[in-house]
């Protein structure tokens, strides 16, 4: 029964891939994986998941009190999770391995103004290749709401030592337990800024949940969220979100419970519970979020109008190969991009002129994080950040 979702002819390379995962000998993104698990989409496109319900993002600004706004931020945040963590399964049948962005890769998009919610703009830049780090900025200037963040991942494999020693020949014969999974810790954070009518800005620190990728051995990976994440506001309101999955015997996938606490208090004023990919309610049974309806994908310029470094332009031939099943072409085109990148880095080193980021500046310590993290528990007291700046030219 093992690896039943893996197409005939790719079982051996799936086995090799799992072996690599188990020993985690390399960088996950650059590991060779069999064609069936490849996505034609680069990781630089993933930040668009933050705004596929732009009306919820815009509505944060309409909150009349800090409490009201804290609940609106939570509602928007929870409503992004379905897109962030289940959309590849819905679109492509399982979780997939994204294209590994090159340094300086860009992704821009917009969500149109509609019902006076204002236009939302997205800017993404791959700010590091090794390790992969993505910087993003999403703004709705009309409403005065902006999200500034960066993300990276630390992965580890649950069954390290035993699995790591299995030889490929044996792999076909073993029946794997579905508890053997990949744990992905998200590194990075986001700061949401909301401009208030009096001109001041209310900030929200958003931390990210950990992921558990199950179903790998069956060749049908999917994500479950684990542990907790935080949303801490400069107003003093704090949301702590706890994530839970199916469990051994009972329970449902994708459960969460959020406690929303007022400034200076340790007891929650609101408790929200439900399934993040469907609906939730507060403790009085009042509906909170509902993501069963459609979402809005980001609009992107036509390929012809895109710069060489814009992701869909850069990866177009690789993506086409993957989409049409011409994996030889995909791999040839991917090698071309990788070789070109290596050459660029060599030339830069030789000339003593390192690559310059276009939209983001690295800071060693994010002062907003340092301030707001004091309202959270059990997370690092400092973090770096990549701050968005529109190029002047
Ligand atoms: C990127 C940031 C987004 C949320 C998100 C969703 C899915 C994650 C992705 C992040 C990072 C890369 C990721 C992916 C799921 C699978 C993929 C961890 C966190 C890894 C690299 C591929 C594993 C290979 C197979 C076993 C699927 O906001």
């Amino acid at each position: 029964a093992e690896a039943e979702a893996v197409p005939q002819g790719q079982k051996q390379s799936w086995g090799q891939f799992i072996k690599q995962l188990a020993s985690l000998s390399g960088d996950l993104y650059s590991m060779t994986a069999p064609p069936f698990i490849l996505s034609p989409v680069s990781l630089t496109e993933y930040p668009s998941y933050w705004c596929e319900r732009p009306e919820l993002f815009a509505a944060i600004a309409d909150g009349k009190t800090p409490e009201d706004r804290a609940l609106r931020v939570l509602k928007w945040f929870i409503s992004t999770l379905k897109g962030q963590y289940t959309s590849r399964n819905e679109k492509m049948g399982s979780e997939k391995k994204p294209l590994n962005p090159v340094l300086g890769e860009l992704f821009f998009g917009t969500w149109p103004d509609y019902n006076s919610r204002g236009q939302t703009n997205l800017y993404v830049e791959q700010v590091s290749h090794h390790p992969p780090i993505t910087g993003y900025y999403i703004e709705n200037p009309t409403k005065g709401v902006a999200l500034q963040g960066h993300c990276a991942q630390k992965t580890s494999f649950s069954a390290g030592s035993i699995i790591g020693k299995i030889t490929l020949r044996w792999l076909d014969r073993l029946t794997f337990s579905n508890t053997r999974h990949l744990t992905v810790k998200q590194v990075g954070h986001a700061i949401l800024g909301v401009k208030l009518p009096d001109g001041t800005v209310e900030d929200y620190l958003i931390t990210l949940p950990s992921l558990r990728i199950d179903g790998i051995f069956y060749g049908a990976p999917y994500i479950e969220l684990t542990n907790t994440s935080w949303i801490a506001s400069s107003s003093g309101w704090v949301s702590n979100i706890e994530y839970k999955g199916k469990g051994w015997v009972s329970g449902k996938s994708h459960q969460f419970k959020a406690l929303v606490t007022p400034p200076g208090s340790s007891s929650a004023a609101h408790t929200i519970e439900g399934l993040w990919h469907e609906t939730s309610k507060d403790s009085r049974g009042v509906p909170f979020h509902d993501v069963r309806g459609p979402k809005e994908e980001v609009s992107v310029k036509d390929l012809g109008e895109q710069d060489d470094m814009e992701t869909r332009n850069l990866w177009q031939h690789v993506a086409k190969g993957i989409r049409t099943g011409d994996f030889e072409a995909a791999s040839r085109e991917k090698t071309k991009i990788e070789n070109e990148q290596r050459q660029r880095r060599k030339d830069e080193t030789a000339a003593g002129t390192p690559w310059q980021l276009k939209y983001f500046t690295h800071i060693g310590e994010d002062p907003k994080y340092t301030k707001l993290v004091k309202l959270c528990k059990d997370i690092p007291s400092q973090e770096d950040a990549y701050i968005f700046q529109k190029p002047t030219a």
Side-chain angles (χ1 to χ4, degrees), residues 251-280:
K252 292 185 172 166
S253 303
H254 308 335
Q255 303 169 62
F256 80 96
K257 179 177 179 176
L259 301 179
V260 187
T261 38
S265 166
S266 59
S267 62
H270 304 272
T271 304
I272 318 285
E273 259 179 294
L275 306 177
W276 48 257
H277 66 309
E278 291 178 3
T279 61
S280 61

Side-chain angles (χ1 to χ4, degrees), residues 129-183:
H129 177 67
H130 218 95
I133 307 174
T134 310
Y136 56 90
Y137 185 74
I138 304 174
E139 58 166 12
N140 180 332
T142 315
K143 302 293 260 180
V145 186
L147 181 75
Q148 146 82 69
H150 72 280
C151 61
Q153 297 85 38
K154 268 195 191 138
T155 43
S156 54
F157 200 72
S158 70
S161 58
I162 309 164
I163 294 293
K165 283 177 191 139
I166 290 176
T167 64
L168 195 58
R169 217 154 22 91
W170 294 16
L171 201 64
D172 306 332
R173 303 228 183 115
L174 279 171
T175 307
F176 292 106
S177 136
N178 63 1
T179 59
R180 288 174 179 160
H181 58 265
L182 203 61
T183 300

Side-chain angles (χ1 to χ4, degrees), residues 107-122:
F107 182 58
F108 306 123
T110 55
W111 289 266
D113 184 8
Y114 170 75
N115 271 350
S116 68
R117 70 180 185 197
Q119 178 176 310
T120 309
N121 307 317
L122 167 71

Side-chain angles (χ1 to χ4, degrees), residues 37-344:
I37 206 71
L38 302 179
S39 157
V41 179
S42 157
L43 214 52
T44 54
E45 295 206 24
Y46 284 41
S48 66
Y49 292 128
W50 284 112
C51 222
E52 292 183 323
R53 296 180 193 270
E55 72 287 355
L56 295 181
F57 190 65
I60 293 168
D62 301 332
K64 293 284 177 284
T65 61
E67 176 176 14
D68 186 6
R69 287 188 292 272
L71 288 168
R72 286 167 185 255
V73 171
L74 178 64
K75 183 170 165 178
W76 156 75
F77 173 82
I78 298 293
S79 302
T80 71
L81 301 179
K82 182 185 183 196
Q84 307 252 24
Y85 303 111
T86 70
S87 61
R88 275 83 51 200
N89 292 65
E90 281 188 358
K91 264 191 156 170
M92 305 187 270
S94 82
E95 189 56 68
K96 300 276 170 177
K97 185 172 178 274
L99 296 170
N100 182 17
V102 306
L103 179 62
E105 185 173 320
L106 301 166
F107 182 58
F108 306 123
T110 55
W111 289 266
D113 184 8
Y114 170 75
N115 271 350
S116 68
R117 70 180 185 197
Q119 178 176 310
T120 309
N121 307 317
L122 167 71
Y123 304 84
V124 183
E125 180 167 11
Q126 189 68 13
V127 294
S128 166
H129 177 67
H130 218 95
I133 307 174
T134 310
Y136 56 90
Y137 185 74
I138 304 174
E139 58 166 12
N140 180 332
T142 315
K143 302 293 260 180
V145 186
L147 181 75
Q148 146 82 69
H150 72 280
C151 61
Q153 297 85 38
K154 268 195 191 138
T155 43
S156 54
F157 200 72
S158 70
S161 58
I162 309 164
I163 294 293
K165 283 177 191 139
I166 290 176
T167 64
L168 195 58
R169 217 154 22 91
W170 294 16
L171 201 64
D172 306 332
R173 303 228 183 115
L174 279 171
T175 307
F176 292 106
S177 136
N178 63 1
T179 59
R180 288 174 179 160
H181 58 265
L182 203 61
T183 300
V184 181
K185 191 179 169 315
Q186 297 205 67
V187 182
H189 64 270
I191 302 282
L192 177 80
V194 186
K195 202 184 243 156
L196 304 181
D198 68 1
T200 60
V201 176
E202 192 170 75
D203 283 324
Y204 292 80
L205 165 64
I206 298 173
T207 72
L208 306 161
S210 288
L211 279 55
R212 173 184 157 127
I213 305 182
D214 280 305
I216 292 179
F217 288 110
Y218 308 106
Y222 61 93
I223 291 174
E224 186 54 277
L225 298 181
T226 65
N227 297 351
T228 66
S229 76
W230 299 88
I231 305 178
S233 172
S234 55
S235 71
W237 283 85
V238 180
S239 296
N240 182 220
I241 308 139
E242 194 187 327
Y243 305 90
K244 244 196 256 147
K246 246 209 279 294
W248 281 99
V249 211
S250 62
K252 292 185 172 166
S253 303
H254 308 335
Q255 303 169 62
F256 80 96
K257 179 177 179 176
L259 301 179
V260 187
T261 38
S265 166
S266 59
S267 62
H270 304 272
T271 304
I272 318 285
E273 259 179 294
L275 306 177
W276 48 257
H277 66 309
E278 291 178 3
T279 61
S280 61
K281 287 178 180 162
D282 72 11
S283 46
R284 287 164 301 155
V286 179
F288 185 68
H289 95 298
D290 185 346
V291 286
R292 290 170 302 177
K295 55 177 194 169
E296 284 174 58
E297 277 182 24
V298 65
S299 306
V300 179
K301 273 187 293 183
D302 290 337
L303 279 193
E305 294 168 47
Q306 291 187 16
D307 182 86
D308 288 347
M309 289 302 276
E310 286 187 62
T311 184
R312 290 190 189 173
N313 196 5
L314 178 76
W315 291 105
Q316 59 178 309
H317 303 297
V318 178
K320 188 174 168 215
I322 294 174
R323 286 206 173 96
T324 59
D326 188 350
F327 298 110
E328 240 163 82
S331 136
R332 199 170 55 236
E333 294 294 336
K334 186 166 160 272
T335 306
K336 234 197 240 171
I337 293 176
E338 287 164 354
N339 287 343
E340 210 233 353
Q341 285 294 312
R342 262 189 285 276
Q343 190 56 48
R344 274 201 203 181

